[in-house]
Amino acid sequence: MALSAKAKQALLGPLNKNNPILVQVLGICSALAVTSKLEPSLVMAIAVTIVTAFGNVIISLLRKTIPNRIRIIVQLVVVAALVTIVSEVLKAFAYDVNKQLSVFVGLIVTNCILMGRLEAFALGNGPWPSFLDGIGNGLGYGWILVTVGFFRELLGSGTLLGYKVIPQAAYSAGYENNGLMMLAPMALILVAVIIWVHRSKNKDLQEGTN
Amino acid sequence: MDAISLIVRSIFVDNMIFAYFLGMCSYLAVSKNVKTAFGLGIAVTFVLVLTLPINYMLENYVLKAGALAWLGPQFATIDLSVFSLLIFIAVIASFVQLVEMVVEKFSPSLYASLGIFLPLIAVNCAILGGSLFMQQREFANVGMATAYGFGSGIGWLLAILGMAAIREKLEYSHVPKPLKGLGITFIITALMAIGFMSFSGINI
């Protein structure tokens, strides 16, 4: 089925020009905390994509009936319910990753991307564009997470998804795993580097003052 | 004393921003000005100190597995913990509404300068994170949970104040164009976080 121009914009925008982490500055907390290895990053990216997409759809379907005063409460209840479901599914099928993610699965409820997209898009658009917007933002968030997780795991422990990637020969020649990569602040610096590259390519996104 | 030790640990070792990166969105957005940063930090501390004891009581007397045993032995097998997210966030949202009304009454200028970020405290990861960590760590009593809330709030306040002070001075520095604004803030936060790592292992 062909996508309308607006739907295409909703799906592809967040992957580059309207990226939730790099441009909208949403969803930073979890992007930094769970990326020490690639596997939790992937699981988190998928979880956020699912919750954002379906949350967008539900709120979009309800948008004409929610009274303005209790808007935030309704959004929080819908999101909390969705995250509870995702959390229970994770506990059942991926217990180890769930333990690694610990409180951050629950914190998807307060992930600014969700509330941000619900307020900015789902409340004013139909269910299908909202669904695409949710998928787009989830994927935009996801590729940043996977990139940071990829570099942190590769340079920090020489493995990818648990499989040793750097050959033993390199270790014997004197290569050492970069312990600093395993620490949380490196995630911040990696995202800053991604921002540097991204904004050098997209000059219109550069900020004028500090 | 245990509570003092817990407060000091929550401020320096388990700092909400520098160790766990909770509350980053409002931290990045409000840290441009020291006055508003201070106001937001106090508001976050206030909400944490109020919501943590309430969520602690709910967790231990209603939600945990077997928590309802005080109602009668036939209720001892009920496990309501699947509702914890919903209950915690409902408590938090109500208290933020309360704080909003108090701030509007007592300091209209602070209310105006905080703008949208005051109601956004409800979705501040630091507040929900505090309750979720409390659930994970199983404190001994309500006093310890409140001390943890207080320490976490003060730690968050310290972080955002420090960042605001640095960013105000940063106006006069030459930062590469692609890094201006968001990028350089990330790098500064990373350096501050590495600095705070020097506190790990401290035991009072």
Side-chain angles (χ1 to χ4, degrees):
Chain A
M1 103 197 77
L3 291 172
S4 67
K6 184 173 188 184
K8 253 205 191 125
Q9 174 61 25
L11 184 63
L12 297 176
L15 289 173
N16 186 19
K17 285 265 174 163
N18 202 18
N19 188 291
I21 295 188
L22 304 179
V23 181
Q24 300 174 51
V25 197
L26 301 172
I28 312 279
C29 319
S30 42
L32 302 172
V34 308
T35 45
S36 49
K37 291 211 178 263
L38 190 53
E39 197 185 356
S41 314
L42 270 170
V43 172
M44 185 59 134
I46 296 175
V48 169
T49 308
I50 293 178
V51 178
T52 316
F54 287 105
N56 262 6
V57 171
I58 295 178
I59 293 293
S60 174
L61 288 170
L62 292 173
R63 73 185 185 284
K64 302 233 166 81
T65 54
I66 305 177
N68 204 20
R69 281 196 154 258
I70 58 166
R71 199 174 78 234
I72 303 269
I73 312 251
V74 171
Q75 286 169 358
L76 279 173
V77 168
V78 167
V79 173
L82 276 171
V83 174
T84 309
I85 296 176
V86 168
S87 170
E88 296 297 310
V89 166
L90 273 179
K91 269 192 229 164
F93 292 107
Y95 191 68
D96 297 314
V97 184
N98 192 43
K99 266 257 152 339
Q100 266 184 306
L101 288 173
S102 69
V103 297
F104 288 97
V105 179
L107 281 177
I108 299 180
V109 174
T110 49
N111 190 320
C112 328
I113 296 182
L114 257 89
M115 295 300 279
R117 294 327 288 168
L118 288 177
E119 289 274 313
F121 202 88
L123 281 178
N125 291 280
W128 176 240
S130 300
F131 181 73
L132 288 177
D133 179 83
I135 299 273
N137 275 285
L139 289 177
Y141 168 84
W143 81 256
I144 304 281
L145 245 74
V146 167
T147 310
V148 176
F150 175 84
F151 281 109
R152 280 183 78 189
E153 186 172 2
L154 183 64
L155 297 174
S157 43
T159 61
L160 272 182
L161 288 175
Y163 299 109
K164 243 178 155 355
V165 165
I166 304 206
Q168 188 58 34
Y171 286 113
S172 319
Y175 173 81
E176 291 276 349
N177 283 328
N178 187 339
L180 192 56
M181 280 283 172
M182 295 299 284
L183 301 176
M186 275 322 275
L188 277 165
I189 298 193
L190 279 171
V191 177
V193 169
I194 297 180
I195 292 178
W196 198 340
V197 171
H198 187 246
R199 288 193 185 184
S200 307
K201 290 214 162 116
N202 298 306
K203 296 214 160 49
D204 49 325
L205 289 171
Q206 289 175 5
E207 292 174 47
T209 55
N210 272 327
Chain B
M1 236 189 81
D2 265 342
I4 308 268
S5 162
L6 181 60
I7 291 180
V8 171
R9 256 199 344 264
S10 317
I11 298 180
F12 294 107
V13 181
D14 281 336
N15 188 292
M16 276 288 179
I17 297 260
F18 295 130
Y20 298 109
F21 300 120
L22 296 179
M24 284 297 283
C25 304
S26 35
Y27 169 84
L28 290 169
V30 181
S31 55
K32 298 203 177 114
N33 177 305
V34 174
K35 270 205 157 133
T36 29
F38 186 71
L40 187 64
I42 295 286
V44 165
T45 309
F46 191 58
V47 175
L48 270 169
V49 166
L50 289 177
T51 55
L52 263 173
I54 299 191
N55 282 335
Y56 181 84
M57 307 289 266
L58 285 170
E59 164 73 8
N60 281 305
Y61 294 110
V62 178
L63 292 169
K64 213 163 59 171
L68 284 172
W70 56 273
L71 268 181
Q74 69 270 39
F75 294 109
T77 50
I78 300 185
D79 179 7
L80 290 175
S81 58
V82 73
F83 293 116
S84 9
L85 271 178
L86 267 165
I87 304 268
F88 287 166
I89 201 81
V91 170
I92 291 171
S94 334
F95 268 99
V96 171
Q97 185 70 9
L98 180 75
V99 169
E100 220 186 310
M101 297 196 292
V102 166
V103 169
E104 192 175 8
K105 182 117 205 264
F106 288 106
S107 176
S109 59
L110 180 63
Y111 184 77
S113 55
L114 281 178
I116 189 72
F117 289 102
L118 201 42
L120 276 183
I121 297 181
V123 291
N124 186 327
C125 333
I127 314 274
L128 184 60
S131 291
L132 290 176
F133 276 127
M134 173 272 298
Q135 196 182 36
Q136 230 184 27
R137 289 180 194 170
E138 295 179 4
F139 292 113
N141 54 50
V142 176
M144 295 297 271
T146 317
Y148 174 68
F150 180 70
S152 303
I154 297 291
W156 200 88
L157 168 71
L158 202 64
I160 199 174
L161 258 186
M163 180 51 100
I166 293 180
R167 279 182 93 172
E168 276 189 357
K169 293 274 153 83
L170 209 55
E171 298 282 322
Y172 306 107
S173 306
H174 178 68
V175 179
K177 278 226 172 111
L179 272 182
K180 269 204 173 137
L182 189 62
I184 198 71
T185 310
F186 268 61
I187 297 186
I188 295 176
T189 311
L191 293 173
M192 286 171 88
I194 295 179
F196 264 67
M197 279 180 166
S198 60
F199 291 117
S200 62
I202 288 190
N203 238 324
I204 305 252

Tab-separated table of all heavy atoms in Angstrom, chain A residues 19-20 61 150 155 161 163 165 201:
chain	number	residue	atom	x	y	z
A	19	ASN	N	14.969	13.587	14.772
A	19	ASN	CA	15.313	12.484	15.657
A	19	ASN	C	14.995	12.809	17.119
A	19	ASN	O	15.360	13.869	17.602
A	19	ASN	CB	16.804	12.186	15.491
A	19	ASN	CG	17.198	10.940	16.229
A	19	ASN	OD1	17.203	10.904	17.453
A	19	ASN	ND2	17.510	9.906	15.487
A	20	PRO	N	14.307	11.907	17.811
A	20	PRO	CA	13.910	12.219	19.195
A	20	PRO	C	15.084	12.540	20.110
A	20	PRO	O	15.000	13.454	20.919
A	20	PRO	CB	13.178	10.956	19.660
A	20	PRO	CG	13.389	9.927	18.618
A	20	PRO	CD	13.767	10.606	17.379
A	61	LEU	N	-7.165	7.162	19.048
A	61	LEU	CA	-8.555	6.704	18.960
A	61	LEU	C	-9.427	7.389	19.996
A	61	LEU	O	-10.607	7.617	19.785
A	61	LEU	CB	-8.620	5.182	19.165
A	61	LEU	CG	-8.091	4.346	18.002
A	61	LEU	CD1	-7.970	2.888	18.422
A	61	LEU	CD2	-9.019	4.463	16.808
A	150	PHE	N	26.600	-0.653	20.470
A	150	PHE	CA	27.566	-1.346	19.627
A	150	PHE	C	28.988	-0.926	19.996
A	150	PHE	O	29.847	-1.775	20.281
A	150	PHE	CB	27.260	-1.019	18.163
A	150	PHE	CG	28.236	-1.575	17.174
A	150	PHE	CD1	28.104	-2.878	16.735
A	150	PHE	CD2	29.277	-0.816	16.681
A	150	PHE	CE1	28.989	-3.405	15.813
A	150	PHE	CE2	30.173	-1.337	15.763
A	150	PHE	CZ	30.029	-2.629	15.327
A	155	LEU	N	34.197	-1.843	22.172
A	155	LEU	CA	35.434	-1.289	22.705
A	155	LEU	C	35.612	-1.565	24.184
A	155	LEU	O	36.709	-1.583	24.693
A	155	LEU	CB	35.474	0.227	22.452
A	155	LEU	CG	35.486	0.613	20.977
A	155	LEU	CD1	35.369	2.116	20.809
A	155	LEU	CD2	36.762	0.110	20.327
A	161	LEU	N	26.956	-8.815	21.417
A	161	LEU	CA	25.869	-9.730	21.761
A	161	LEU	C	26.411	-10.959	22.489
A	161	LEU	O	25.881	-12.047	22.379
A	161	LEU	CB	25.109	-10.184	20.506
A	161	LEU	CG	24.233	-9.118	19.851
A	161	LEU	CD1	23.641	-9.627	18.562
A	161	LEU	CD2	23.119	-8.685	20.778
A	163	TYR	N	29.211	-12.517	21.925
A	163	TYR	CA	30.204	-13.307	21.173
A	163	TYR	C	31.497	-12.519	21.055
A	163	TYR	O	31.510	-11.364	20.699
A	163	TYR	CB	29.686	-13.616	19.761
A	163	TYR	CG	28.431	-14.426	19.766
A	163	TYR	CD1	27.221	-13.843	19.398
A	163	TYR	CD2	28.434	-15.748	20.170
A	163	TYR	CE1	26.059	-14.570	19.415
A	163	TYR	CE2	27.279	-16.486	20.190
A	163	TYR	CZ	26.092	-15.890	19.825
A	163	TYR	OH	24.924	-16.605	19.847
A	165	VAL	N	34.501	-10.841	19.585
A	165	VAL	CA	34.721	-10.358	18.223
A	165	VAL	C	36.182	-10.017	17.979
A	165	VAL	O	36.747	-10.299	16.937
A	165	VAL	CB	33.837	-9.107	17.960
A	165	VAL	CG1	34.281	-8.377	16.736
A	165	VAL	CG2	32.401	-9.534	17.821
A	201	LYS	N	26.569	17.619	9.395
A	201	LYS	CA	25.938	17.306	8.124
A	201	LYS	C	24.673	18.127	7.920
A	201	LYS	O	24.305	18.445	6.805
A	201	LYS	CB	25.566	15.824	8.079
A	201	LYS	CG	26.745	14.899	7.996
A	201	LYS	CD	26.395	13.684	7.156
A	201	LYS	CE	27.664	13.005	6.709
A	201	LYS	NZ	27.790	11.685	7.251
